[in-house]
């Protein structure tokens, strides 16, 4: 019977990604035989990236067959994404490997695993060898881990030094070049970042990640037209819901709402059916104080995708803006049934009660808000203001 290697931690949090149920079952079965128990799985590449951002994992075992994005692109995304730590990965699939072995290794994939599995040993070997290289000081992957950690901690000078070393060790690979570009973006050295991105493009490796980073650099310089050009180039060459989603998020982060609105509308016209586009478009309408259009988009999203905390909260603040306080409170109460520890919802509900002159209920909700989020300064200020008026 298989047993976990003495060098492996049975408490590793492992994420299995596959849109193929039989492959998912096969991988989880092997992992359990190896002694792992903290196993989660997902079939949606977009949802998996969002999940990793909020709930980090220790290892990813990824099928080429995913919803919305291939497994290989998923791995490249998380390895280059400046918000995700370096995570050890294994890649498998029913088809042949997406790239030669030397290219796969540039992104931490030691060896592609062809399915169906002949035995569990190939997966066991992949995990052991990947973690061994990942955790051994001085290896390329270990150096990437340290460089990414410095980037995430915004120790920009340290990250620059590490990525410069990695560029030398990897013959100016796309991964090391874009990592260095991300570090230069942090230090506001956008010309240096742009030079690196241009170098990646000239090498012939016009990756989605490089186009997105080029758009980010343009937005940093408030060059909206330049950013739009990069994004449209990306969406033309990679007509994929995942990159529409990434582009919308980038524009929203930089508060470029008209461009975000344009991308959302295009995605919805392309029949890409995920709630994010409706929600982002509704947020754009809300920010532009078009509350009626915002509510219509929220209602449409609820009909197509069902209620979510984000949709209910947005509907609530929109109803609050038009003075429909009782309806807004109903939305917030429903949102709390989905997420009872959401401090922001309690705060918004309190403001509605203030407008309705129901100060006792307002105080109660503000106190709950502060209990959940002790650092919520606006809630503290509002509570003091109400209590002073009452005394």
């Amino acid at each position: 019977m298989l047993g976990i290697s003495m060098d492996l931690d049975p408490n590793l949090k492992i994420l299995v990604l596959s849109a193929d149920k039989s492959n998912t079952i096969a991988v989880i079965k092997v992992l359990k035989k190896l002694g792992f128990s903290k196993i989660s799985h997902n079939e949606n590449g977009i949802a998996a990236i969002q999940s990793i951002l909020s709930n980090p994992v220790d290892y990813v075992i990824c099928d080429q067959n995913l919803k919305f994005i291939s497994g290989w692109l998923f791995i490249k995304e998380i390895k280059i994404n400046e918000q995700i730590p370096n995570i050890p990965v294994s890649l498998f699939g029913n088809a042949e490997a997406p790239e030669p072995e030397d290219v796969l290794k540039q992104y931490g994939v030691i060896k592609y695993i062809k399915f169906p599995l002949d035995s569990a040993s190939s997966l066991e070997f992949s995990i052991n060898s990947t973690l061994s290289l990942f955790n051994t000081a001085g290896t390329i992957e270990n150096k990437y881990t340290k460089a990414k950690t410095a980037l995430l901690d915004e120790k920009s000078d340290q990250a620059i030094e590490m990525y410069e070393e990695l560029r030398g060790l990897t013959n100016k690979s796309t991964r090391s070049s874009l990592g260095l570009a991300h570090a230069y973006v942090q230090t506001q050295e956008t010309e240096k970042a742009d030079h690196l991105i241009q170098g990646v493009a000239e090498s012939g490796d016009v990756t989605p990640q490089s186009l997105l980073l080029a758009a980010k650099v343009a937005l940093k310089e408030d060059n909206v037209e330049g950013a739009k050009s990069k994004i449209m180039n990306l969406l033309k060459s990679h007509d994929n819901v995942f990159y529409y989603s990434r582009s919308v998020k980038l524009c929203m982060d930089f508060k470029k709402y008209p461009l975000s609105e344009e991308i959302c509308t295009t995605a919805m016209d392309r029949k890409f059916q995920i709630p994010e586009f409706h929600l982002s478009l509704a947020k754009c309408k809300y920010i532009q104080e078009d509350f009626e259009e915002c509510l219509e988009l929220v209602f449409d999203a609820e009909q197509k995708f069902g209620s979510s905390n984000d949709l209910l909260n947005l509907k609530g603040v929109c109803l609050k803006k038009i003075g429909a306080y009782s309806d807004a409170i109903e939305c917030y109460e429903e949102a709390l049934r989905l997420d009872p520890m959401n401090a922001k919802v309690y705060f918004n509900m309190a403001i509605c009660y203030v407008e309705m002159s129901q100060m006792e209920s307002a105080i109660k909700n503000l106190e709950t808000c502060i209990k959940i989020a002790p650092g919520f300064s606006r809630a503290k200020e509002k509570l003091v203001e109400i209590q002073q008026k009452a005394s």
Side-chain angles (χ1 to χ4, degrees), residues 26-44:
V27 171
I28 291 176
K29 185 177 180 181
V30 171
L31 290 174
K32 287 183 175 178
K33 284 184 177 179
L34 289 170
F36 296 107
S37 58
K38 295 182 178 180
I39 306 165
S40 57
H41 62 89
N42 205 320
E43 63 179 4
N44 181 328

Side-chain angles (χ1 to χ4, degrees), residues 157-175:
D157 292 339
Q158 188 177 335
I160 287 169
E161 182 180 341
M162 291 176 174
Y163 278 117
E164 283 179 338
E165 180 189 2
L166 281 163
R167 285 191 87 221
L169 293 170
T170 63
N171 194 26
K172 299 180 180 178
S173 68
T174 296
R175 183 182 177 190

